[in-house]
Amino acid sequence: MIDTPPPSGPALRKSLGLLDGVAIAASSTAATTSIGIGLGVTAGVVGLHLPAIMLLAFLPILGIAGAYSRLNKVEPNAGNGYVWVGRSLTPWLGFLVGWVNIVATIAFLAYTTAVTGSAMIQLAGEAGLHRMAGLALDPGSTAQTTAVGIVVLVAVTLTAVTGVRTAARLQAGLLIFEYVVLLGFCGYGIVTGPHAFSLSWFDPFAIPSASALAQGLLLSVFCYWGFEAAFTVNEEVRDPRDASRAGLITLVTMLGLFLLGSIAFQRVLSEGELAGHGAQGLAYFGDRLASQPLAALPLVALMFSAVASLQAGVIPTARGMFAMSRDRTLGPVWSKVSSRYGTPALGTLLIGALATAVAALALVIPRLADMIMATVNAVGIVVALSYALTALAAAVRFRSLLRENWRQGIRAVVLPTLSALALLGLGGYLAWSFYTSTDHLEVSADNGWFLLLTPAAMIASGFVAAAWAKWVRKSPYFQSGQGTDADAPQLLATSS
């Protein structure tokens, strides 16, 4: 590839420390939401083997995190995987990584609005408020939950515009409350739960089938999705190495919380209760352990987690689109930086607007649990693809270490390659399972062709957008795959 000096671009303000990065990544991963919703969905697939599947999923993700960390040390860039894959593999795949992350996150933001609204309406019901403006409040109503969630999405988007440091501090406060509640209830559930602890919970060979194992692993990988948000703000941390530290700290913390939550849920709830309560799993768990008002605390924690993950989704997506716009692979509006706040303010507002529009369209899916199931299943495939390509980019970039230092070569090349192959294999197997599970297309969370069509559309649209960027926008990125240097002399653009 041609190694030419990259162009300069607009600068983001360096204002974050290590703890700020952890807060952003942890909020993006949203452990409370994953425990409250994801565990029930996953239990419906793997049964009482949640600890086993969470441990198995952590292994390839750890290899992926190592790849992110090593790449970030040599080339910190807000575009991360988009830039790294473009340089080491091909600009077409690099653009695809950036594109599917944007599309997947916007879809996730849209659907998380309903989760947020559901938690708020449930909390209102626990507080005795069952009607508002003559309307009966129903946490199972997709229209009501989406409307309430959209209001929250607008509020957190405006907060994200005013500065990433302010947003990080807000998220840190929400996280502290969430984790105190999680540790308290899960610890109490482990001690007092009526169902006996069993080592078989940690036995992956006891999972019902290979298909269940593959689907459960992708669901669990999706639970870890978001740790890389720490790397999307690597141009805004005072020390770029803090982005790597924040990502790894977040990932290990998530593993501990997921294991704690899965053991506690299985001590307190039966397999039928786990799989049957889906999106209301955490609230049901709280009701089994305490009476009101204490039983409402897990629901408050879920609401805080959903709010934080909405904001944490807006921030990384804005940075990814900022990096792509800086390379002219997206339009110039996304790389305009506010001289007042030092953030991509206009792009952040547009992302909030896009997510709001998708959330409104999500009203055609009538049941919240089905909507979450369809989204998690579909997005899990593209998340696995994005992670795998980034890990392969690291393996290619550092392949010389296999000759120079075999220990470093194993860490930088072999482990990321194995992790990438594992995720690609899982994604391919699950896609085949979706394809063979039905003989017709139906817009339903249970229809395999529909579940397969969603990630296929994301990937296909990515190649169409890449072609537009290459031949219409004539982006220099497609000449070398090299992104704009974040450390180059910068010219501040104003959007406020």
Side-chain angles (χ1 to χ4, degrees):
M1 290 185 179
I2 302 172
D3 192 10
T4 56
S8 61
L12 298 171
R13 186 173 299 162
K14 294 184 180 295
S15 60
L16 301 178
L18 174 62
L19 294 179
D20 297 317
V22 171
I24 290 170
S27 296
S28 184
T29 309
T32 306
T33 303
S34 295
I35 290 172
I37 297 172
L39 290 187
V41 173
T42 308
V45 176
V46 302
L48 296 178
H49 303 287
L50 292 175
I53 207 72
M54 287 296 174
L55 277 170
L56 275 181
F58 178 76
L59 296 178
I61 292 298
L62 184 60
I64 302 298
Y68 269 87
S69 180
R70 190 172 290 270
L71 287 165
N72 182 72
K73 288 178 182 177
V74 299
E75 189 177 13
N77 190 292
N80 49 77
Y82 150 78
V83 172
W84 302 331
V85 174
R87 179 193 288 270
S88 298
L89 301 181
T90 166
W92 287 87
L93 289 179
F95 183 92
L96 180 65
V97 167
W99 179 264
V100 298
N101 279 329
I102 290 167
V103 175
T105 305
I106 289 176
F108 179 73
L109 284 171
Y111 294 129
T112 305
T113 60
V115 177
T116 307
S118 178
M120 288 188 162
I121 293 175
Q122 285 184 67
L123 190 60
E126 298 288 350
L129 181 61
H130 300 287
R131 300 185 68 85
M132 181 174 291
L135 179 67
L137 298 178
D138 178 11
S141 167
T142 307
Q144 290 185 27
T145 57
T146 301
V148 173
I150 286 174
V151 173
V152 178
L153 176 60
V154 171
V156 299
T157 300
L158 293 175
T159 305
V161 166
T162 61
V164 68
R165 184 177 175 85
T166 302
R169 294 300 164 87
L170 171 62
Q171 289 168 353
L174 296 177
L175 284 172
I176 290 172
F177 177 85
E178 291 173 40
Y179 292 174
V180 168
V181 172
L182 275 179
L183 291 173
F185 272 78
C186 290
Y188 183 68
I190 288 174
V191 172
T192 64
H195 301 286
F197 175 84
S198 173
L199 287 176
S200 67
W201 296 348
F202 292 85
D203 182 6
F205 298 103
I207 293 174
S209 66
S211 177
L213 176 65
Q215 188 173 352
L217 276 172
L218 271 180
L219 288 169
S220 301
V221 165
F222 181 75
C223 288
Y224 290 106
W225 180 39
F227 80 90
E228 75 279 4
F231 297 93
T232 64
V233 293
N234 53 17
E235 294 183 35
E236 294 165 270
V237 292
R238 290 182 286 271
D239 182 352
R241 292 174 297 181
D242 283 344
S244 299
R245 297 181 185 123
L248 292 173
I249 289 172
T250 299
L251 194 55
V252 173
T253 302
M254 294 306 105
L255 172 64
L257 290 173
F258 291 152
L259 288 178
L260 180 72
S262 60
I263 294 171
F265 269 53
Q266 292 186 183
R267 284 277 285 137
V268 175
L269 306 178
S270 67
E271 183 176 346
E273 289 172 325
L274 264 171
H277 284 82
Q280 285 76 42
L282 190 60
Y284 184 75
F285 177 75
D287 286 335
R288 289 290 301 272
L289 290 176
S291 56
Q292 298 296 343
L294 289 178
L297 287 177
L299 191 57
V300 177
L302 178 63
M303 180 185 70
F304 282 1
S305 177
V307 171
S309 66
L310 281 175
Q311 188 177 70
V314 169
I315 291 171
T317 308
R319 273 65 186 170
M321 298 184 80
F322 165 84
M324 296 176 75
S325 174
R326 190 169 55 183
D327 297 336
R328 298 211 314 270
T329 56
L330 292 180
V333 66
W334 304 103
S335 59
K336 293 185 179 295
V337 178
S338 167
S339 59
R340 179 178 180 183
Y341 301 117
T343 64
L346 183 56
T348 303
L349 289 173
L350 289 174
I351 289 166
L354 282 172
T356 298
V358 176
L361 291 175
L363 293 175
V364 299
I365 302 178
R367 291 162 50 193
L368 180 60
D370 285 347
M371 181 174 65
I372 292 170
M373 186 67 170
T375 306
V376 169
N377 275 320
V379 173
I381 293 177
V382 295
V383 169
L385 176 64
S386 174
Y387 280 167
L389 289 174
T390 305
L392 290 176
V396 170
R397 187 159 186 171
F398 302 114
R399 63 189 181 277
S400 63
L401 288 174
L402 286 172
R403 298 187 304 270
E404 300 166 3
N405 185 326
W406 68 270
R407 287 188 177 88
Q408 291 295 326
I410 289 175
R411 294 173 58 187
V413 181
V414 176
L415 292 180
T417 299
L418 292 176
S419 298
L421 292 176
L423 292 184
L424 289 174
L426 286 171
Y429 185 87
L430 187 58
W432 177 253
S433 297
F434 286 159
Y435 178 75
T436 57
S437 66
T438 185
D439 58 359
H440 68 285
L441 177 64
E442 181 183 346
V443 181
S444 168
D446 298 323
N447 184 268
W449 286 13
F450 174 68
L451 293 174
L452 186 58
L453 180 63
T454 306
M458 290 183 184
I459 294 169
S461 64
F463 285 117
V464 172
W468 180 272
K470 177 178 173 63
W471 286 300
V472 179
R473 296 191 186 280
K474 300 187 184 303
S475 167
Y477 170 82
F478 284 91
Q479 297 175 12
S480 66
Q482 187 171 354
T484 299
D485 188 351
D487 295 324
Q490 306 289 339
L491 177 64
L492 190 68
T494 303
S495 66
S496 63

